[in-house]
Amino acid sequence: MNLVVRELSAGYGQGQVLHGLDLDLSAGRALALLGRNGVGKTTLVSTLAGLLRPTGGRVLLDGRDVTGWRADRLARAGVALVPQGRRVWPTLTVHEHLALATRHGGRTWPTGRVYELFPRLAQRRRHLAGQLSGGEQQMLVIGRALATDPRLVLMDEPSEGLAPIVVDEVAEALRAVVRDGLTLLLVEHDLHLALGVTEEAAVMVRGRIVHRRPTPDLRGDLPTMQRLLGVAA
Amino acid sequence: MPTAQIALTAMVNGLAIGLLLFITAAGLSLIFGMMDVLNLAHGALFLTGAYLAWWIGGEQQTWPSLGRAVVAVVVFGAAAGGLLSLLTAPLSRRSHLEQALLTLGIALVAADVLSALFGDDVRATEPPAGLAGTVTVAGWSYPSYRLALVGVAALLAAAVYWTVERTSLGALFRATVGDRDMVAAVGVDPRLVRGGVFVLGSVLATLAGLLGAPIYHARPGLDTTILVLALVVVVVGGLGSIRGPLIAALLFGQVESVGRAVLPGLASFLLFGTLAAVLVVRPRGLFTLAPGGRR
């Protein structure tokens, strides 16, 4: 799914966070969105997912203007969200999560395929999500997003608060998403993960994208990483 | 009457009141828990159900009139639920105070309309033949209607519980209680969920009014009494839960009934004393979810 964002503005109340942001993401490509805390990465993801209404600009999916669409309509159009902070439904079982998401999709990613990707979820299919570990909850949220049969996946800090061994499992899931030809926009603080599964990286500063290049180039350019992201040399 | 029989009568009365309260409070809990809307017009729905039972069945119901009344309260409850959903939608992201003011206003208007239509007298209605007498078992006599009410209300309560806890529709309800935005993010239109919950909750309230009519009798002020009891049940049981209000309703049914039998002068103190005691021990109610899904 092609994503085109032009002059996008959004924020909370009187406070503007995005200031005329432009972004192009071609179908089947994976882009890491990097930046320090508070530059507007989560605001961008929330706006693209329909959880936050833009105050200006346009969002096009495959050439169709979807600016201001609600989250449910965007989800039905093929946009899936893996939100920051996991946000599982604590009183639903693992299986109920996937079944609820699959009711509106499940053609490419039926429940069985999600369980193949995350065998631990299959073992805990009857457990309540509120009883799962942080890593299992993250797997569940990724599985829930995939079960909606998306064409564009928005992921916001999927490795946040996870043990390194679980981050490896999450990385494998992201590679599966990319292999499947899905378009991926990945917001991630873990540079090893972000640059390991994407082809390009963009850096945000104060509500705008100020830098964009292929990930191998960025990985080798420590001065830029240090200047824009505060990475130690 | 021997003490054991008095106690048994009080306990079965408490069971009937408790189940009736649960059917009323379940809708209130779901609407608050899922939609974050404090619906103070819920008691007016109960009262309308009771008035419809009297208006269609008169002072002495028959089986056909009871059947017509059931259809009428279901249709009215569904329509009223849909209307309440539309009226409260613009305030869905506003504060509870604003929602409470709107729904309180609707409740006051509804109460005035009901008074204008049915007058200020108590509108008593008796159950149809076959349920009007008493049942005697081993020397213990008990009104047939109340016994039937226990059965019907228990079936309704079980159906509500099963729907919410065991079906995919219930999973959608519980997911909406947990995180509405994430329900929308998997493609479910929140307006449909909102409308569905209001319709279900309102139908349950009007049905409870119909079932409770021969006991409470339709009268001005009954809406407020029922609303306060339902709020107590929801607050104690835990917002957005079904199991909590069920346990709280059964508890308060016993406190109300047994309290009146044992300490008639202190019954209402017992009710609110129990409320206070539960909230001191469990300020978030018996079954409100803590962050992370722990109870």
Side-chain angles (χ1 to χ4, degrees):
Chain A
M1 177 177 269
N2 276 305
L3 169 68
V4 175
V5 179
R6 289 287 173 269
E7 293 286 316
L8 189 67
S9 301
Y12 307 91
Q14 298 297 314
Q16 286 289 104
V17 180
L18 302 182
H19 302 279
L21 180 141
D22 292 323
L23 173 67
D24 289 88
L25 183 55
S26 301
R29 306 285 291 179
L31 175 73
L33 189 61
L34 311 173
R36 300 180 196 231
N37 285 335
V39 297
K41 302 185 298 294
T42 295
T43 304
L44 174 61
V45 167
S46 298
T47 309
L48 293 178
L51 297 177
L52 192 62
R53 213 176 161 78
T55 52
R58 294 171 71 204
V59 179
L60 307 174
L61 291 177
D62 286 339
R64 187 178 186 186
D65 192 338
V66 299
T67 313
W69 279 22
R70 291 191 322 271
D72 59 300
R73 197 173 171 201
L74 283 168
R76 291 194 296 274
V79 179
L81 172 67
V82 175
Q84 188 174 28
R86 300 194 266 278
R87 296 178 70 171
V88 294
W89 298 307
T91 60
L92 267 66
T93 64
V94 167
H95 193 70
E96 283 175 328
H97 271 75
L98 299 180
L100 189 54
T102 308
R103 282 172 63 221
H104 300 273
R107 289 175 296 275
T108 315
W109 281 92
T111 306
R113 196 171 167 209
V114 174
Y115 287 147
E116 280 174 25
L117 186 64
F118 297 118
R120 270 208 269 175
L121 291 184
Q123 292 164 9
R124 301 196 185 275
R125 63 200 302 273
R126 299 202 184 284
H127 287 233
L128 293 179
Q131 298 169 338
L132 301 179
S133 68
E136 289 163 346
Q137 288 187 347
Q138 190 60 63
M139 292 172 199
L140 178 57
V141 172
I142 295 172
R144 180 176 71 185
L146 293 177
T148 63
D149 266 344
R151 290 190 295 142
L152 167 63
V153 182
L154 310 168
M155 289 200 187
D156 195 356
E157 304 286 0
S159 77
E160 189 182 38
L162 302 184
I165 191 166
V166 182
V167 174
D168 290 344
E169 284 187 65
V170 169
E172 189 46 49
L174 300 193
R175 286 190 195 96
V177 167
V178 175
R179 274 199 304 271
D180 240 42
L182 301 180
T183 313
L184 173 66
L185 181 65
L186 173 64
V187 171
E188 180 58 59
H189 269 109
D190 182 336
L191 287 179
H192 179 70
L193 172 65
L195 302 181
V197 300
T198 57
E199 300 138 334
E200 275 191 290
V203 181
M204 277 184 77
V205 174
R206 289 193 214 95
R208 286 195 187 92
I209 290 174
V210 298
H211 191 85
R212 180 169 175 169
R213 62 205 290 194
T215 47
D217 292 1
L218 185 64
R219 199 185 283 128
D221 185 356
L222 271 176
T224 301
M225 300 249 282
Q226 195 170 20
R227 180 168 52 88
L228 296 175
L229 304 170
V231 176
Chain B
M1 191 187 288
T3 309
Q5 291 191 2
I6 293 172
L8 183 59
T9 300
M11 286 171 71
V12 180
N13 274 341
L15 187 60
I17 292 167
L19 287 167
L20 205 58
L21 263 181
F22 168 69
I23 295 167
T24 312
L28 197 64
S29 175
L30 284 176
I31 290 169
F32 194 96
M34 291 175 63
M35 296 298 135
D36 206 22
V37 173
L38 186 55
N39 179 21
L40 296 183
H42 209 68
L45 294 167
F46 181 99
L47 180 56
T48 307
Y51 271 124
L52 282 173
W54 172 81
W55 186 55
I56 292 170
E59 291 180 2
Q60 179 60 59
Q61 293 179 8
T62 62
W63 287 106
S65 73
L66 183 60
R68 287 196 299 277
V70 169
V71 173
V73 297
V74 169
V75 170
F76 177 84
L83 186 63
L84 277 168
S85 173
L86 288 175
L87 288 172
T88 54
L91 297 182
S92 60
R93 302 275 177 184
R94 305 282 280 275
S95 71
H96 290 150
L97 177 63
E98 288 164 287
Q99 295 169 1
L101 285 174
L102 173 67
T103 54
L104 181 63
I106 294 170
L108 292 173
V109 170
D112 278 350
V113 169
L114 290 172
S115 275
L117 287 173
F118 301 110
D120 290 336
D121 295 335
V122 174
R123 301 300 183 187
T125 185
E126 293 299 322
L131 293 178
T134 56
V135 176
T136 303
V137 179
W140 172 67
S141 292
Y142 191 76
S144 307
Y145 181 76
R146 290 191 180 220
L147 215 49
L149 174 65
V150 169
V152 172
L155 276 177
L156 259 176
V160 170
Y161 188 85
W162 183 78
T163 301
V164 172
E165 297 289 337
R166 294 281 180 267
T167 68
S168 55
L169 180 67
L172 178 59
F173 285 178
R174 283 179 282 125
T176 308
V177 172
D179 193 327
R180 271 183 288 170
D181 283 345
M182 288 306 106
V183 172
V186 298
V188 180
D189 187 339
R191 292 171 303 183
L192 291 179
V193 181
R194 179 191 179 85
V197 171
F198 262 99
V199 166
L200 177 66
S202 301
V203 166
L204 286 173
T206 49
L207 266 176
L210 169 82
L211 292 172
I215 296 172
Y216 289 105
H217 304 310
R219 57 187 157 80
L222 179 61
D223 49 346
T224 311
T225 306
I226 292 296
L227 176 66
V228 169
L229 288 173
L231 282 172
V232 167
V233 164
V234 168
V235 169
V236 169
L239 300 168
S241 152
I242 279 295
R243 200 184 318 176
L246 176 59
I247 292 170
L250 293 175
L251 171 71
F252 279 102
Q254 293 304 323
V255 171
E256 168 81 359
S257 177
V258 177
R260 277 191 196 286
V262 178
L263 299 164
L266 294 174
S268 50
F269 293 103
L270 281 176
L271 193 72
F272 291 103
T274 309
L275 166 71
V278 171
L279 290 182
V280 164
V281 179
R282 301 268 305 183
R284 291 167 59 87
L286 292 174
F287 284 87
T288 296
L289 289 172
R294 299 179 305 277
R295 290 182 190 281

